[in-house]
Amino acid sequence: MHDPAKLRTMHRDRFAAEPKTFVAPGRVNLIGEHTDYAEGFVMPAAINFATLAAISPRTDGKIVIYSENYGEEKSFDASALPKKGSGHWSDYPLGVVSILAGEGHKIPGFSLTIWGDVPLGSGLSSSAAIEVATALAVLSLVGASYPGPKLARLCQRAENEFVGSSCGIMDQFISANGKENHALLLDCRDLSFKLAPIPDHVALVIANTMVKHSVAGGDYPTRRRESEAACAIIDSHRGNVPFLRDATLEDLDKWGSEMAPKSLMRARHVISENLRTVAASEALLRGDMKELGRLMTEAHHSYSQDFEGSCVEADAMVEFAQGLPGLIGARLTGGGFGGCTVNLVEQKDAEAFRHELGRRYMAKFGISPEIHICHASGGAHQID
Ligand code: GLA
């Protein structure tokens, strides 16, 4: 687990300077997949896996970034920052620096150490955690701060404009604004949100299929384009449908025949997922775990069948969870095509659930999955 004291020592040893330290969590999404860039609804929770960042000023005009996870240091000239990423891990922190510079902040030289335990490439938003931790660190250096929603937007822009991945705002938003023991229903149109307590007796069991997931890869943008093509057809008929958030299932009945079959399927997922996500937040708020579980199951089927965002391993991980004692609901979480499933499980059954799910997965695929019993944690903040 991430240890701020170790990070400080690491930073001091490498850069001979006393740092300020920050933490930003990864996330698990309970429901609302591929709805954020359609200006719809998502309901993630921040988790107790996080990225730590330590920062101290330098006098030589350089930006030196060290990643403990990659065991590598990269150096840049603070007065000549690149405008685009180069496909390297440093794109994520550097992208944030570049966006902040574009916002008018004069960025001085600094040393940054980043170290995290969010499993990389597993759909738990390790990149958003790096971005948000970096943003807090650099903002403190320049003596500025932003409210959580704006901070999230800037980090999303770093990913869209610098890294070149077409993600929505969910991951950065929950990393910046999460609350201990709560899920957060976010309206991705105006960034208003509602917190819903996750009852004490419920554990978040996160099961890693060990199949690598990447938002930058081809499938994510393809799905996004397909769903947006459906939206354009609806908009051409009745106007005022700039995003699928504004579309209804009736629109698909009327004009679905004009859509490419895959576009129609993607849109059906996004439109129905928005309805499910709002219903799921209402269920959680009134403590109706049974209904929440039912909606999660339905969401997984829609994600897998209509959006074709799952994979054999993730479908099996969801399937293997069914019928295990204590299960409330299970589905693939995050950008898709691999990564993790999220399982809401009665706390008292969580350990046995973890063990049996891992056993079943191992028996089928010969891979031992990492399965974590997590809880919802707080959003990004300064540690000292
Ligand atoms: C990734 C993206 C998010 C969101 C999800 C899918 O995590 O970064 O913006 O689109 O996929 O719900």
Side-chain angles (χ1 to χ4, degrees), residues 19 74 80 100 102 107 136 165 175 214 223 315 338 356 378:
K74 286 282 274 186
L100 292 177
I107 309 287
L136 285 185
S165 106
S175 182
S214 148
R223 294 297 187 282
D315 283 345
E356 180 57 15

Side-chain angles (χ1 to χ4, degrees), residues 27 29 32-37 42 123-125 127-128 156 159 165-172 213 215 220 224 269 273 303 307 331 333-336:
R27 65 98 188 92
N29 190 19
E33 227 62 85
H34 287 262
T35 45
D36 59 354
Y37 52 76
V42 293
L124 299 178
S125 298
S127 23
Q156 181 201 10
E159 198 147 335
S165 106
S166 54
C167 67
I169 186 127
M170 168 168 68
D171 307 346
Q172 293 79 5
H213 144 95
V215 171
Y220 183 101
R224 182 171 175 164
H269 166 75
E273 185 81 345
Y303 198 16
F307 206 74
R331 54 176 290 278
T333 187

